[in-house]
Amino acid sequence: MLKCGKINSKRWVPMKIEFSNTYSDLGSNFGQSIEPSSAVDPELILFNHDLASFLGIDSSSASENELAGIFSGKTILEKSRPFAMAYAGHQFGHFVPQLGDGRAILLGEVEASNRKYYDLQLKGAGQTAFSRRGDGRSSLGPVIREYIVSEAMHALGVPSTRALAAVTTGETVYREDALPGGILTRVASSHIRVGTFEYFAYRKDEEELKVLVDYAIKRHHPDLSNEDEKYFEFFKAVARRKLKLVAKWMGLGFIHGVMNTDNTTISGETIDFGPCAFMDIFSHDKVFSSIDHQGRYSYHNQGSIALWNLSCLASCLVPLLGLSQTEAQKKFEPEFETLTAFFKDAWRDVMAKKMGIFTATSKDNKLINEFLKYLEENKMDFTNSFRELPKRLNDSEGIYKQVKKRLEEQAETFEEAISLMDSVNPYIIPRNHLVERSIDLSIKEDYSLFKRMVEAFKEPYKENQNHLDLTLPPKPDEIVYQTFCGT
Ligand code: AMP
Ligand code: MG
């Protein structure tokens, strides 16, 4: 382990990062101070200079070696205090009292140009007190997947954690095969999850629970600090962000795959890109996770599951509200009715815009559902069918006639409706078979497709004939049916 910016040649690393460590300052009940240990001979694959600049990190004069050292945890910068966060979680509905960062280590927080603080975390950085039987490592595949998909999510306009750097560690990681080890530097507006609250609630540690909620309010909703009912208002704000997020996922045919409470941030950012995928052929019941046998996290179940996860958060907050269980129930029950309606409206709004409808009403549910049924029955590609909708408005088929009729009824012109559709129906999404292909190539040290995809997804709504091949659905032998956790 090299300390304080020294690198092999014993010269100083010119790069500095002004870390703060407000989360690790919360104390040892919140996690473990631990240094990264998995990087033996790190090499940089890709660094996100644009994101670095947003985060106020001057990477322009840093060499690839320096970046590889810092963003693998081999070099620990002066102000960084590495920390593995404690959390619990409901995994597929079953409560696990202690999960925590078993292979991720927080380096600290940085203040970005929008004056907000962001976590920098190394994923795949080595064992921690939370590793249980895991090796604390990540193979290269999940690093490649998360880099591509999280950056695409961001470019698609969906709140998401982001990718600052991808490196190889120089270690071999053993899964079913021997694979190259990798580390992703993940950037998040925080890594606090529903499971973080569950960790303290389960231990009946009201003191630390309050510290956590106050910290979360200060970081994510400072406007609520002086509210009389700040804890309840905090819940309401978190819930709305989460439900809006899921509505956006559904509008893109995205299936998260493991919506456990430990993978549910309170910032409303998409996190953890394990068995996730954007659907090719549309199916309401589509599941990608190899272990989701009951369809708990299927495409159409995501709204209900988000509400279920929020009910876990609500239970954690009850002790802080100073209410009895019965009183709490009375308070939360109508709120959950409101949230259920909120999600339906958010979903309708997202889907209606995809069909060119500016102001949707409950009457539009029927048309949206009929269009989705049409896609499902005809085994049509979700992304391309929406993108091509403007071209099909004169088709003789009933469903297209219905859409056209609805668009004629609104005040906006056809041109305006088509611009709306083009602004929300992506031309290009990271299709699963391409992500898998880029992983296979990366394992053989060919990063060309990975880098090409990262570039291509920077402008996902813009038609670009150079990327036409990336817009095509998989051929039958290219279809990926399942993706896996266990990174
Ligand atoms: P995930 O399913 O990726 O959200 O991870 C669930 C839990 O398993 C978290 O506590 C992770 O830190 C832990 N975990 C996953 N993979 C590993 C690993 N290779 N080594 C140690 N812990 C791991
Ligand atoms: Mg996770």
Side-chain angles (χ1 to χ4, degrees), residues 9-33:
S9 62
K10 289 196 182 138
R11 66 190 167 83
W12 290 96
V13 176
M15 201 167 150
K16 275 192 176 160
I17 300 181
E18 285 301 315
F19 281 113
S20 35
N21 299 277
T22 60
Y23 200 82
S24 66
D25 282 347
L26 295 178
S28 57
N29 288 342
F30 286 77
Q32 181 202 21
S33 291

Side-chain angles (χ1 to χ4, degrees), residues 87 91 99-101 103 123 186 193 256 258 260-264 271-273:
Y87 55 84
Q91 298 191 307
L99 290 163
D101 287 337
R103 68 185 144 163
K123 217 176 152 185
R186 177 160 73 182
R193 310 135 192 271
H256 180 278
V258 248
N260 293 334
T261 55
D262 53 300
N263 293 336
T264 299
I271 194 169
D272 270 13
F273 298 83

Side-chain angles (χ1 to χ4, degrees), residues 20 35 119 135 137-138 167 188 326 341 367 414 487:
S20 35
E35 305 231 323
D119 284 1
D135 60 2
R137 267 77 179 155
S138 172
V167 300
T326 326
L367 181 60
F414 251 70
T487 52

